[in-house]
Amino acid sequence: MGLKFQSADEAVSLYNQALALAPDKTRWNDVSGMLWTISSNEGRFQDIGNGYALLGSLFKQAWLRDNRPYWLENDMARYDAATQLWLTRGDKWNSVLLQWDESHTLPTPEQAGFPAGAGK
């Protein structure tokens, strides 16, 4: 859970830095790097999703050591939903990357999928 909050905070911080640097053409490579760090093959969003997947797997192993499997799928659905949420956020991030590549502009944090007031 700590990794989730740390990675999410880092993503917001990186995006705010990217927004601040975006008008400076000499820093466009830095902005691109920040955007890819937020979400790419090994970006923060994917790290969170992969973390939930791993945590779900570990939970399942621990559960089956001490319990019958009758309730396990109800608990696993929560891990699966959290994993899917973050992987979907990563997929949606592609529109932010595309907008940056095409016009070197960035949407507001809320339009990019960050919660209102994030990073303030």
Side-chain angles (χ1 to χ4, degrees), residues 17-83:
Q17 290 175 42
L19 281 171
L21 296 176
D24 183 354
K25 291 181 181 184
T26 64
R27 303 297 302 270
W28 281 359
N29 285 337
D30 296 330
V31 172
S32 293
M34 290 173 190
L35 298 176
W36 280 95
T37 299
I38 292 170
S39 185
S40 62
N41 290 338
E42 296 298 324
R44 298 296 186 267
F45 290 170
Q46 288 73 17
D47 289 346
I48 296 170
N50 293 339
Y52 273 114
L54 175 61
L55 191 58
S57 176
L58 294 171
F59 176 83
K60 182 176 184 177
Q61 291 172 20
W63 177 276
L64 291 174
R65 274 196 306 266
D66 298 326
N67 301 287
R68 293 185 181 137
Y70 76 95
W71 191 259
L72 177 62
E73 292 308 312
N74 294 317
D75 289 329
M76 292 305 300
R78 291 184 178 107
Y79 288 102
D80 294 342
T83 300

